[in-house]
Coordinates of all heavy atoms in Angstrom, one line a residue:
S259 N 156.8 147.2 -92.5 CA 156.6 146.7 -91.2 C 155.7 145.4 -91.3 O 155.9 144.3 -90.7 CB 155.9 147.7 -90.3 OG 155.7 147.2 -89.0
D260 N 154.6 145.5 -92.1 CA 153.7 144.4 -92.3 C 154.4 143.2 -93.0 O 154.1 142.1 -92.6 CB 152.4 144.9 -93.1 CG 151.6 145.7 -92.3 OD1 151.6 145.8 -91.0 OD2 150.7 146.4 -92.9
D261 N 155.2 143.5 -94.0 CA 155.9 142.5 -94.7 C 156.8 141.7 -93.8 O 156.9 140.4 -93.8 CB 156.6 143.0 -95.9 CG 155.7 143.4 -97.0 OD1 154.5 143.0 -97.1 OD2 156.3 144.0 -98.0
I262 N 157.6 142.4 -93.0 CA 158.5 141.8 -92.0 C 157.7 141.0 -91.0 O 158.1 139.8 -90.7 CB 159.3 142.9 -91.3 CG1 160.3 143.5 -92.3 CG2 160.2 142.2 -90.1 CD1 161.0 144.7 -91.8
A263 N 156.6 141.5 -90.5 CA 155.8 140.8 -89.6 C 155.2 139.5 -90.2 O 155.2 138.5 -89.5 CB 154.6 141.7 -89.1
E264 N 154.8 139.6 -91.4 CA 154.3 138.4 -92.1 C 155.4 137.3 -92.2 O 155.1 136.1 -92.0 CB 153.8 138.7 -93.5 CG 153.1 137.6 -94.3 CD 152.6 138.0 -95.6 OE1 152.3 139.3 -95.8 OE2 152.4 137.1 -96.4
V265 N 156.6 137.7 -92.6 CA 157.6 136.7 -92.8 C 158.0 136.1 -91.4 O 158.1 134.9 -91.3 CB 158.9 137.4 -93.4 CG1 160.1 136.5 -93.3 CG2 158.6 137.8 -94.8
L266 N 158.1 136.9 -90.4 CA 158.4 136.4 -89.1 C 157.4 135.5 -88.5 O 157.6 134.5 -87.9 CB 158.8 137.5 -88.1 CG 160.1 138.3 -88.4 CD1 160.2 139.4 -87.4 CD2 161.3 137.3 -88.3
S267 N 156.1 135.9 -88.7 CA 154.9 135.1 -88.2 C 154.8 133.8 -88.8 O 154.2 132.9 -88.3 CB 153.6 136.0 -88.3 OG 153.7 137.1 -87.5
S268 N 155.4 133.7 -90.0 CA 155.3 132.3 -90.7 C 156.2 131.3 -90.1 O 156.2 130.1 -90.4 CB 155.6 132.5 -92.2 OG 157.0 132.8 -92.4
D269 N 157.1 131.7 -89.2 CA 158.1 130.8 -88.5 C 157.6 130.7 -87.0 O 157.5 131.7 -86.4 CB 159.5 131.4 -88.6 CG 160.5 130.5 -88.1 OD1 160.3 129.7 -87.2 OD2 161.7 130.5 -88.6
T270 N 157.4 129.5 -86.6 CA 156.9 129.3 -85.2 C 157.9 129.7 -84.2 O 157.5 129.9 -83.0 CB 156.5 127.8 -85.0 OG1 157.6 127.0 -85.2 CG2 155.4 127.5 -85.9
L271 N 159.1 130.0 -84.6 CA 160.2 130.5 -83.6 C 159.9 131.9 -83.1 O 160.3 132.3 -82.1 CB 161.5 130.4 -84.2 CG 162.8 130.8 -83.4 CD1 162.9 129.8 -82.2 CD2 164.1 130.7 -84.3
F272 N 159.2 132.7 -84.0 CA 159.0 134.1 -83.7 C 157.6 134.5 -83.4 O 156.6 133.9 -83.9 CB 159.5 135.0 -84.8 CG 160.9 134.8 -85.1 CD1 161.3 134.0 -86.2 CD2 161.8 135.5 -84.4 CE1 162.7 133.9 -86.5 CE2 163.2 135.3 -84.7 CZ 163.6 134.5 -85.7
S273 N 157.4 135.4 -82.5 CA 156.0 136.0 -82.2 C 156.1 137.5 -82.3 O 156.9 138.1 -81.5 CB 155.6 135.6 -80.9 OG 154.4 136.3 -80.5
V274 N 155.5 138.1 -83.3 CA 155.5 139.6 -83.4 C 154.6 140.1 -82.3 O 153.3 140.0 -82.5 CB 155.2 140.1 -84.8 CG1 155.1 141.6 -84.8 CG2 156.2 139.5 -85.8
V275 N 155.1 140.8 -81.3 CA 154.3 141.3 -80.2 C 153.8 142.7 -80.4 O 152.8 143.1 -79.7 CB 155.0 141.1 -78.8 CG1 155.2 139.6 -78.5 CG2 156.3 141.9 -78.8
A276 N 154.4 143.5 -81.3 CA 154.0 144.9 -81.5 C 154.7 145.4 -82.7 O 155.8 144.9 -83.1 CB 154.3 145.7 -80.3
Q277 N 154.0 146.4 -83.3 CA 154.6 147.2 -84.4 C 154.4 148.6 -84.1 O 153.3 149.1 -83.8 CB 153.8 146.9 -85.7 CG 154.1 145.4 -86.2 CD 153.3 145.1 -87.5 OE1 152.3 144.4 -87.4 NE2 153.7 145.7 -88.6
A278 N 155.5 149.4 -84.3 CA 155.5 150.8 -84.0 C 155.9 151.6 -85.2 O 156.6 151.1 -86.1 CB 156.5 151.1 -82.9
S279 N 155.3 152.8 -85.3 CA 155.6 153.6 -86.5 C 156.4 154.9 -86.2 O 156.6 155.7 -87.1 CB 154.3 154.0 -87.2 OG 153.5 154.8 -86.3
S280 N 156.9 154.9 -85.0 CA 157.8 156.1 -84.5 C 158.7 155.6 -83.5 O 158.4 154.6 -82.8 CB 157.0 157.2 -84.1 OG 156.3 157.0 -82.9
G281 N 159.7 156.3 -83.2 CA 160.6 156.1 -82.1 C 159.9 156.1 -80.7 O 160.1 155.3 -79.9
F282 N 159.0 157.2 -80.6 CA 158.3 157.3 -79.4 C 157.4 156.1 -79.1 O 157.4 155.5 -78.0 CB 157.4 158.6 -79.5 CG 156.5 158.8 -78.3 CD1 157.0 159.3 -77.1 CD2 155.2 158.4 -78.4 CE1 156.2 159.5 -76.0 CE2 154.3 158.6 -77.3 CZ 154.8 159.1 -76.1
D283 N 156.6 155.7 -80.2 CA 155.8 154.5 -80.0 C 156.7 153.2 -79.7 O 156.2 152.3 -79.0 CB 155.0 154.3 -81.3 CG 153.9 155.3 -81.4 OD1 153.5 155.9 -80.4 OD2 153.3 155.4 -82.5
A284 N 157.8 153.1 -80.3 CA 158.7 151.9 -80.1 C 159.1 151.8 -78.6 O 159.1 150.7 -78.1 CB 159.9 152.0 -81.0
V285 N 159.5 152.9 -78.1 CA 159.8 153.0 -76.7 C 158.6 152.5 -75.8 O 158.7 151.7 -74.9 CB 160.4 154.3 -76.2 CG1 160.5 154.4 -74.7 CG2 161.7 154.5 -76.9
K286 N 157.4 153.2 -76.0 CA 156.2 152.8 -75.3 C 155.9 151.3 -75.4 O 155.6 150.7 -74.4 CB 155.1 153.8 -75.8 CG 153.8 153.6 -75.0 CD 152.8 154.7 -75.4 CE 152.3 154.4 -76.8 NZ 151.2 155.3 -77.2
L287 N 155.9 150.8 -76.6 CA 155.5 149.4 -76.8 C 156.6 148.5 -76.3 O 156.2 147.4 -75.9 CB 155.3 149.2 -78.3 CG 154.0 149.9 -78.9 CD1 154.0 149.8 -80.4 CD2 152.7 149.2 -78.3

């Protein structure tokens, strides 16, 4: 998750707004 966030954050086109570690957290976030 952190590696993907780092790659995406290096491109100004993307903004990582949240990271979830479970399906439940993903829905909530």
Side-chain angles (χ1 to χ4, degrees):
S259 183
D260 289 344
D261 285 349
I262 293 170
E264 184 178 338
V265 169
L266 290 176
S267 295
S268 70
D269 188 328
T270 58
L271 182 61
F272 299 101
S273 171
V274 177
V275 295
Q277 290 178 255
S279 60
S280 70
F282 176 79
D283 287 343
V285 171
K286 184 171 69 171
L287 290 169

